[in-house]
Amino acid sequence: MAVYAVLLAIVLAIVNIYPMRIMENKIIDTARVDMLDDASTLAAALGNISTLSADNIGSAVSVLNLKRDNRRIVATDRYGVVIYDSMSASRLYGQVVTFSEVLAALSGQDVFYCIHEGEAFDKWAATPIMNDAVLRGTVYLYEKDSNSALLLRNIAYNLRMVSLGAIVLSAGCLLLFNKALGNRFSKLLVGVREARSGNFNYRIKMSGSDELARIASEFNDLSAIIQANDMARRRFVSDASHELKTPLASIKLLSDSISQNKNISRETVNEFLEDINGEIVRLIRISEELIAINKVDDVTEEKYVCDVANTVKKAVERLRVNADMAKVRLQSECENGCLVLATDDGIYHIVFNLIENAIKYNREGGKVRIRLRCEGDKVLLSVLDTGIGIPEHDQRRVFERFFRVDKNRSRATGGTGLGLSIVKEWADKFDATIKLESYYGEGSEFTVSFPLCKVDDDGEGSEQ
Ligand code: ADP
């Protein structure tokens, strides 16, 4: 505001002073031309008169029409003695004048002076009277110009009034603008405070399409994202607690049964202890998968060139025991050179979970076929099984955390409902997509499509 006031004052000072100076100079320049012109005309006329006298000079002045109400015309001989004065009742006749203009004219110069002091322009001009290069005297003009001064004063007054109006108007506009801007900033501030207090439901209502409106819209989008994330986090915590509660409740029930029943047989105790052990294994599995999920979110490890075939071989080796126990045949075909930009740990989670599921949700005598190949600019990893399949309406949901088609079967096989969500999150991290084709009762095929990575001569990998 203070800066604006200073700027306004400078602008107004320029607006008020500058044009006045220009006009003042214009008036003086015009007067210089007019008065020197008149003085020269009279001097030229007088130069041809053999004997200069008050009468013939007065006649010349009349003939040349040089008289003005506000003008005094004086003529001197070559000694500076006044021989003509247009002012009636002049006391200068016969006197030597020592006006600086006359002295300058006597030395052969044309001179003009002007002083402007508020009320009037005082203007003096003098020129020598010459005849054949011989000085015969001087012509001296003096004018008091109040009209031009009055005109200048009026213009200055009008300019001041216009400036005053401009100040009032712009100050009013500035206040209104400031108020409107303040209101818009307050709306933003309210939104930020609501968000800070944890209310991500709040949306800022801001009209217009200026920067502030855009900030408000960005803020609203951000709040919506945080709100969605917050809801997902709450749901996850609640689901995770529920998942942990179930085995814990079983353990409590089983251990209570043992401790409260004095006559319980050794076999029953062993049986209960085995169940407790099963629930503990389950708890460990859930905790491990929760840690694995967290790891995907937290991972800051840079991606590097990974050979997927190595990881597939490692996972197949580890799961061969599971396959044998489930009486499922494992078959894998891996092309060489299937390189992707990823991390070995992430790829391992994807491959391991998909193959483990294909074994778990298979049937006795069934088959799991793992294929790794490069196709165009993609690396395709497909895991096909001849298992129970997934009903069509559940196929989109199997990647959600804790979702299970058949809770009992999943529980029985040690499932937690987290495996495929971990697969999906790693795949997203590696810009990979997952396709699921499944026919209920017949089997499923999961295909993960990674961008193929080409390695340049420096060993640097880049996606195609
Ligand atoms: P879980 O630990 O229960 O196996 P997942 O997230 O790995 O959890 O899988 C989610 C659900 O999707 C499983 O509970 C199962 O119902 C279904 N599912 C996953 N893979 C297969 C598969 N290959 N065949 C049939 N159903 C599957």
Side-chain angles (χ1 to χ4, degrees), residues 282 285 289 353-362 368 383-391 394-395 397-407 409-411 413-423 436 438-440 443-446:
R282 192 171 144 66
R285 177 88 202 240
E289 302 228 306
N353 282 329
L354 288 179
I355 302 177
E356 192 193 33
N357 279 351
I359 298 168
K360 267 192 324 193
Y361 301 106
N362 219 312
V368 173
V383 179
L384 178 129
D385 67 64
T386 54
I388 57 173
I390 302 167
D394 285 334
Q395 286 180 12
R397 298 202 59 198
V398 288
F399 297 99
E400 289 174 19
R401 289 172 178 179
F402 298 112
F403 178 82
R404 281 163 287 194
V405 176
D406 177 351
K407 276 211 166 206
R409 174 153 185 155
S410 170
R411 265 182 74 85
T413 52
T416 59
L418 290 171
L420 285 182
S421 68
I422 295 172
V423 170
L436 165 61
S438 183
Y439 300 96
Y440 195 48
S444 314
E445 182 173 31
F446 287 83

XYZ file of all heavy atoms in Angstrom, residues 282 285 289 353-362 368 383-391 394-395 397-407 409-411 413-423 436 438-440 443-446, ligand 1:
495
model
N 0.530 -69.122 10.689
C -0.318 -68.198 9.924
C -0.012 -66.743 10.303
O 0.120 -65.866 9.432
C -1.768 -68.549 10.252
C -2.746 -67.919 9.359
C -4.118 -68.525 9.649
N -5.111 -67.491 9.508
C -5.387 -66.913 8.359
N -4.733 -67.262 7.275
N -6.293 -65.979 8.289
N 3.133 -65.679 8.794
C 2.957 -65.448 7.350
C 2.326 -64.065 7.087
O 2.783 -63.301 6.240
C 2.074 -66.578 6.793
C 1.723 -66.458 5.342
C 2.785 -67.117 4.478
N 2.733 -66.577 3.131
C 2.507 -67.306 2.054
N 2.352 -68.600 2.169
N 2.462 -66.770 0.869
N 3.995 -60.902 5.183
C 3.411 -60.270 3.995
C 3.143 -58.789 4.242
O 3.270 -57.974 3.333
C 2.144 -61.009 3.578
C 2.456 -62.467 3.291
C 1.889 -62.984 2.001
O 0.677 -62.844 1.813
O 2.652 -63.567 1.192
N 4.969 -65.370 -5.782
C 3.545 -65.369 -5.411
C 2.674 -65.988 -6.489
O 1.733 -66.721 -6.198
C 3.070 -63.935 -5.117
C 3.518 -63.484 -3.739
O 3.640 -64.293 -2.825
N 3.792 -62.205 -3.583
N 2.987 -65.675 -7.757
C 2.160 -66.218 -8.841
C 2.295 -67.742 -8.910
O 1.285 -68.462 -9.046
C 2.564 -65.600 -10.191
C 2.167 -64.123 -10.382
C 2.641 -63.618 -11.742
C 0.652 -63.938 -10.265
N 3.550 -68.245 -8.796
C 3.735 -69.703 -8.890
C 3.146 -70.386 -7.648
O 2.467 -71.424 -7.752
C 5.235 -70.069 -9.053
C 5.807 -69.380 -10.293
C 5.406 -71.584 -9.178
C 7.301 -69.615 -10.509
N 3.347 -69.758 -6.489
C 2.818 -70.359 -5.250
C 1.294 -70.497 -5.327
O 0.726 -71.533 -4.981
C 3.208 -69.503 -4.044
C 2.930 -70.230 -2.724
C 3.001 -69.322 -1.515
O 2.652 -68.130 -1.646
O 3.393 -69.801 -0.443
N 0.623 -69.427 -5.830
C -0.838 -69.488 -5.986
C -1.249 -70.580 -6.973
O -2.222 -71.312 -6.750
C -1.390 -68.147 -6.488
C -1.548 -67.151 -5.349
O -1.397 -67.516 -4.187
N -1.843 -65.901 -5.677
N -0.482 -70.650 -8.082
C -0.823 -71.634 -9.119
C -0.744 -73.052 -8.551
O -1.509 -73.942 -8.953
C 0.123 -71.479 -10.301
N 0.155 -73.268 -7.582
C 0.261 -74.592 -6.945
C -0.874 -74.762 -5.929
O -1.589 -75.759 -5.912
C 1.634 -74.759 -6.250
C 2.772 -74.682 -7.274
C 1.695 -76.070 -5.467
C 4.164 -74.560 -6.659
N -1.061 -73.695 -5.087
C -2.046 -73.764 -3.995
C -3.469 -73.985 -4.513
O -4.232 -74.750 -3.945
C -2.044 -72.424 -3.234
C -1.131 -72.388 -2.039
C -1.332 -71.183 -1.138
C -1.678 -69.878 -1.765
N -1.548 -68.736 -0.874
N -3.816 -73.263 -5.588
C -5.193 -73.326 -6.070
C -5.315 -74.276 -7.253
O -6.112 -74.070 -8.154
C -5.696 -71.915 -6.420
C -5.637 -71.004 -5.222
C -4.664 -70.019 -5.110
C -6.532 -71.185 -4.163
C -4.585 -69.215 -3.992
C -6.442 -70.384 -3.037
C -5.475 -69.407 -2.957
O -5.415 -68.630 -1.832
N -4.484 -75.361 -7.187
C -4.517 -76.372 -8.249
C -5.218 -77.615 -7.720
O -5.766 -77.598 -6.607
C -3.070 -76.686 -8.672
C -2.951 -76.868 -10.160
O -3.757 -77.600 -10.738
N -1.960 -76.227 -10.749
N 1.445 -76.791 -13.601
C 1.718 -75.342 -13.630
C 2.781 -75.116 -14.688
O 3.815 -75.779 -14.683
C 2.233 -74.825 -12.265
C 2.666 -73.364 -12.379
C 1.180 -74.982 -11.185
N 2.119 -67.395 -15.984
C 2.021 -68.553 -15.088
C 0.634 -69.143 -15.301
O -0.375 -68.498 -14.998
C 2.222 -68.124 -13.621
C 2.093 -69.333 -12.699
C 3.576 -67.456 -13.437
N 0.617 -70.341 -15.862
C -0.660 -70.974 -16.215
C -0.876 -72.193 -15.317
O 0.063 -72.934 -15.043
C -0.585 -71.399 -17.680
C -1.785 -72.115 -18.263
C -2.204 -71.440 -19.547
C -1.488 -73.581 -18.494
N -2.093 -72.337 -14.812
C -2.353 -73.534 -14.000
C -3.633 -74.210 -14.447
O -4.445 -73.625 -15.162
C -2.395 -73.161 -12.507
C -3.572 -72.293 -12.156
O -4.730 -72.751 -12.288
O -3.343 -71.118 -11.750
N -3.755 -75.458 -14.015
C -4.950 -76.218 -14.376
C -5.812 -76.394 -13.124
O -6.373 -77.460 -12.891
C -4.541 -77.601 -14.928
O -3.686 -78.195 -13.917
C -3.790 -77.495 -16.230
N -5.863 -75.304 -12.327
C -6.519 -75.397 -11.026
C -7.988 -75.044 -11.017
O -8.694 -75.216 -12.022
N -8.413 -74.444 -9.892
C -9.858 -74.247 -9.670
C -10.415 -73.048 -10.442
O -11.617 -72.929 -10.595
C -10.153 -74.054 -8.156
C -9.357 -72.864 -7.602
C -9.863 -75.341 -7.390
C -9.717 -72.511 -6.182
N -9.520 -72.169 -10.927
C -9.990 -70.991 -11.666
C -10.616 -69.954 -10.740
O -10.847 -70.209 -9.552
N -10.888 -68.793 -11.311
C -11.455 -67.702 -10.504
C -12.745 -67.243 -11.188
O -12.744 -66.970 -12.402
C -10.464 -66.506 -10.428
C -9.127 -66.967 -9.831
C -11.044 -65.350 -9.625
C -7.997 -65.974 -9.996
N -13.858 -67.191 -10.427
C -15.115 -66.742 -11.054
C -14.932 -65.357 -11.679
O -14.199 -64.525 -11.131
C -16.097 -66.674 -9.878
C -15.464 -67.432 -8.771
C -13.997 -67.463 -9.005
N -15.051 -62.116 -9.716
C -14.025 -61.866 -8.688
C -12.665 -61.542 -9.302
O -11.735 -61.176 -8.586
C -13.858 -63.113 -7.795
C -15.016 -63.256 -6.821
O -15.620 -62.222 -6.492
O -15.292 -64.399 -6.398
N -12.600 -61.669 -10.631
C -11.272 -61.559 -11.254
C -10.632 -60.182 -11.051
O -9.427 -60.073 -10.929
C -11.370 -61.884 -12.747
C -11.562 -63.386 -12.946
C -11.662 -63.795 -14.397
O -11.375 -63.009 -15.303
N -12.109 -65.022 -14.635
N -11.141 -58.285 -8.476
C -10.937 -58.010 -7.052
C -9.764 -58.769 -6.437
O -9.344 -58.448 -5.323
C -12.222 -58.350 -6.270
C -13.415 -57.500 -6.718
C -14.452 -57.437 -5.668
N -13.940 -56.882 -4.425
C -14.536 -57.031 -3.254
N -15.647 -57.714 -3.167
N -14.029 -56.500 -2.173
N -9.263 -59.790 -7.157
C -8.232 -60.626 -6.526
C -6.946 -59.854 -6.203
O -6.153 -60.294 -5.381
C -7.867 -61.882 -7.375
C -8.983 -62.890 -7.341
C -7.494 -61.497 -8.798
N -6.789 -58.660 -6.842
C -5.578 -57.880 -6.566
C -5.751 -56.932 -5.373
O -4.831 -56.239 -4.989
C -5.170 -57.072 -7.811
C -4.811 -57.961 -8.977
C -5.727 -58.208 -9.998
C -3.580 -58.586 -9.038
C -5.410 -59.040 -11.054
C -3.252 -59.425 -10.093
C -4.173 -59.660 -11.107
N -6.992 -56.904 -4.807
C -7.210 -56.057 -3.622
C -6.606 -56.735 -2.404
O -6.573 -57.972 -2.315
C -8.721 -55.890 -3.367
C -9.403 -55.013 -4.380
C -10.907 -55.005 -4.178
O -11.394 -55.379 -3.069
O -11.609 -54.639 -5.134
N -6.161 -55.881 -1.465
C -5.566 -56.434 -0.237
C -6.618 -57.197 0.558
O -7.736 -56.718 0.733
C -5.007 -55.307 0.628
C -3.755 -54.700 0.013
C -3.316 -53.477 0.760
N -2.085 -52.944 0.193
C -1.471 -51.866 0.627
N -1.974 -51.173 1.632
N -0.368 -51.447 0.075
N -6.279 -58.368 1.021
C -7.099 -59.254 1.873
C -8.286 -59.870 1.158
O -9.144 -60.480 1.780
C -7.584 -58.521 3.135
C -6.460 -58.059 4.017
C -6.183 -56.713 4.179
C -5.657 -58.988 4.674
C -5.139 -56.287 4.987
C -4.612 -58.566 5.493
C -4.349 -57.219 5.646
N -8.376 -59.674 -0.194
C -9.512 -60.300 -0.881
C -9.183 -61.766 -1.179
O -8.096 -62.097 -1.640
C -9.836 -59.572 -2.199
C -10.973 -60.234 -2.918
C -12.287 -59.957 -2.563
C -10.735 -61.183 -3.909
C -13.341 -60.601 -3.190
C -11.789 -61.833 -4.540
C -13.090 -61.532 -4.177
N -10.157 -62.637 -0.862
C -9.999 -64.065 -1.162
C -11.293 -64.588 -1.740
O -12.370 -64.228 -1.247
C -9.654 -64.845 0.107
C -8.192 -64.703 0.478
C -7.896 -65.082 1.866
N -8.385 -64.089 2.788
C -8.033 -64.025 4.055
N -7.199 -64.898 4.549
N -8.513 -63.090 4.836
N -11.194 -65.390 -2.793
C -12.423 -65.917 -3.408
C -13.080 -66.876 -2.426
O -14.259 -66.778 -2.098
C -12.107 -66.638 -4.737
C -13.369 -67.272 -5.327
C -11.475 -65.666 -5.731
N -12.280 -67.791 -1.920
C -12.817 -68.792 -0.997
C -11.964 -68.740 0.269
O -10.854 -69.270 0.305
C -12.739 -70.176 -1.692
C -13.207 -71.293 -0.777
O -13.419 -71.008 0.437
O -13.360 -72.433 -1.260
N -12.539 -68.077 1.293
C -11.759 -67.844 2.517
C -11.246 -69.142 3.119
O -10.101 -69.235 3.573
C -12.621 -67.113 3.551
C -12.604 -65.612 3.324
C -12.754 -64.849 4.604
C -12.376 -63.404 4.309
N -11.916 -62.635 5.337
N -10.680 -72.092 1.724
C -9.597 -72.745 0.980
C -8.291 -71.964 1.178
O -7.235 -72.535 1.372
C -9.952 -72.811 -0.506
C -8.769 -73.350 -1.290
C -9.146 -74.040 -2.552
N -7.932 -74.618 -3.146
C -7.933 -75.640 -3.945
N -9.067 -76.241 -4.215
N -6.825 -76.086 -4.466
N -8.420 -70.618 1.122
C -7.232 -69.796 1.290
C -6.608 -70.030 2.658
O -5.398 -70.172 2.796
C -7.615 -68.323 1.127
O -6.537 -67.520 1.498
N -7.458 -70.063 3.692
C -6.964 -70.300 5.066
C -6.276 -71.651 5.159
O -5.199 -71.786 5.721
C -8.133 -70.261 6.055
C -8.318 -68.896 6.704
C -9.460 -68.973 7.692
N -9.062 -69.695 8.897
C -8.450 -69.130 9.922
N -8.164 -67.858 9.882
N -8.110 -69.832 10.977
N -4.858 -73.283 2.950
C -3.567 -73.361 2.254
C -2.594 -72.312 2.781
O -1.555 -72.053 2.169
C -3.759 -73.147 0.737
O -4.497 -71.942 0.569
C -4.461 -74.308 0.095
N -2.952 -71.675 3.886
C -2.044 -70.688 4.497
C -2.081 -69.347 3.806
O -1.172 -68.532 3.950
N -3.139 -69.089 3.026
C -3.239 -67.805 2.295
C -3.609 -66.648 3.225
O -4.248 -66.840 4.258
N -3.192 -65.489 2.833
C -3.494 -64.297 3.639
C -4.308 -63.266 2.856
O -4.778 -62.291 3.401
C -2.191 -63.595 4.056
O -1.490 -63.227 2.861
C -1.310 -64.480 4.910
N -4.438 -63.481 1.551
C -5.155 -62.495 0.725
C -4.278 -61.301 0.364
O -4.777 -60.299 -0.143
N -2.984 -61.438 0.604
C -2.097 -60.285 0.325
C -1.172 -60.522 -0.874
O -0.641 -59.579 -1.442
C -1.233 -59.979 1.551
C -1.975 -59.387 2.745
C -1.072 -59.329 3.967
C -2.506 -58.006 2.420
N -1.017 -61.807 -1.247
C -0.020 -62.160 -2.276
C -0.188 -61.382 -3.573
O 0.762 -60.749 -4.060
N -1.420 -61.411 -4.145
C -1.600 -60.764 -5.453
C -1.518 -59.241 -5.356
O -1.119 -58.572 -6.307
C -2.943 -61.192 -6.073
C -2.971 -62.611 -6.655
C -4.332 -62.916 -7.276
C -1.874 -62.786 -7.719
N -1.900 -58.696 -4.177
C -1.782 -57.229 -4.050
C -0.301 -56.832 -4.041
O 0.071 -55.794 -4.585
C -2.516 -56.714 -2.807
O -1.866 -57.142 -1.634
N 0.537 -57.710 -3.451
C 1.979 -57.435 -3.478
C 2.489 -57.523 -4.928
O 3.249 -56.671 -5.392
C 2.738 -58.425 -2.565
C 2.322 -58.192 -1.105
C 4.244 -58.278 -2.718
C 2.857 -59.216 -0.125
N 2.005 -58.545 -5.665
C 2.394 -58.696 -7.081
C 2.039 -57.431 -7.853
O 2.846 -56.864 -8.595
C 1.653 -59.917 -7.701
C 1.835 -59.957 -9.209
C 2.158 -61.209 -7.076
N -5.145 -61.161 -16.504
C -5.613 -62.413 -15.896
C -6.678 -63.034 -16.789
O -7.658 -62.390 -17.154
C -6.203 -62.115 -14.500
C -7.061 -63.223 -13.880
C -6.275 -64.509 -13.684
C -7.619 -62.767 -12.521
N -9.012 -66.426 -16.712
C -9.317 -67.554 -15.845
C -10.711 -68.088 -16.150
O -11.627 -67.317 -16.466
C -9.234 -67.099 -14.381
O -9.462 -68.188 -13.544
N -10.842 -69.375 -16.085
C -12.147 -70.001 -16.302
C -12.424 -70.849 -15.081
O -11.612 -71.720 -14.723
C -12.144 -70.827 -17.597
C -11.847 -69.953 -18.780
C -10.559 -69.851 -19.284
C -12.856 -69.157 -19.346
C -10.264 -69.003 -20.330
C -12.570 -68.298 -20.393
C -11.270 -68.227 -20.878
O -10.994 -67.366 -21.902
N -13.520 -70.544 -14.439
C -13.850 -71.196 -13.169
C -13.913 -72.708 -13.366
O -14.603 -73.194 -14.262
C -15.178 -70.648 -12.641
C -15.429 -70.983 -11.186
C -14.436 -70.777 -10.232
C -16.645 -71.512 -10.777
C -14.656 -71.085 -8.915
C -16.878 -71.811 -9.444
C -15.865 -71.603 -8.516
O -16.076 -71.910 -7.213
N -8.980 -73.417 -14.726
C -7.604 -72.950 -14.488
C -7.466 -71.466 -14.785
O -8.408 -70.815 -15.223
N -6.267 -70.960 -14.500
C -6.025 -69.519 -14.660
C -4.685 -69.297 -15.320
O -3.775 -70.133 -15.232
C -5.976 -68.820 -13.293
O -7.024 -69.240 -12.479
N -4.572 -68.132 -15.978
C -3.265 -67.734 -16.487
C -3.055 -66.249 -16.152
O -3.847 -65.393 -16.516
C -3.169 -67.928 -17.998
C -1.774 -67.547 -18.482
C -1.551 -67.880 -19.963
O -2.523 -67.833 -20.739
O -0.407 -68.182 -20.326
N -1.966 -65.987 -15.394
C -1.577 -64.609 -15.082
C -0.407 -64.263 -15.996
O 0.572 -65.007 -16.044
C -1.099 -64.484 -13.623
C -2.222 -64.577 -12.614
C -2.711 -65.808 -12.181
C -2.789 -63.422 -12.086
C -3.728 -65.887 -11.251
C -3.814 -63.498 -11.149
C -4.287 -64.732 -10.725
P -3.882 -65.715 -0.827
O -2.822 -65.516 0.160
O -5.222 -65.918 -0.232
O -3.546 -66.699 -1.857
P -3.670 -63.790 -2.944
O -3.739 -62.319 -2.894
O -2.445 -64.379 -3.457
O -4.043 -64.280 -1.529
O -4.862 -64.231 -3.871
C -6.155 -63.698 -3.646
C -7.204 -64.729 -3.968
O -7.258 -64.941 -5.373
C -6.904 -66.064 -3.378
O -7.427 -66.128 -2.089
C -7.631 -66.981 -4.327
O -9.002 -67.053 -3.972
C -7.527 -66.282 -5.651
N -6.436 -66.822 -6.486
C -5.185 -66.326 -6.598
N -4.453 -67.053 -7.481
C -5.262 -68.023 -7.920
C -5.098 -69.067 -8.848
N -3.970 -69.285 -9.520
N -6.159 -69.883 -9.069
C -7.321 -69.671 -8.441
N -7.534 -68.707 -7.543
C -6.523 -67.885 -7.283
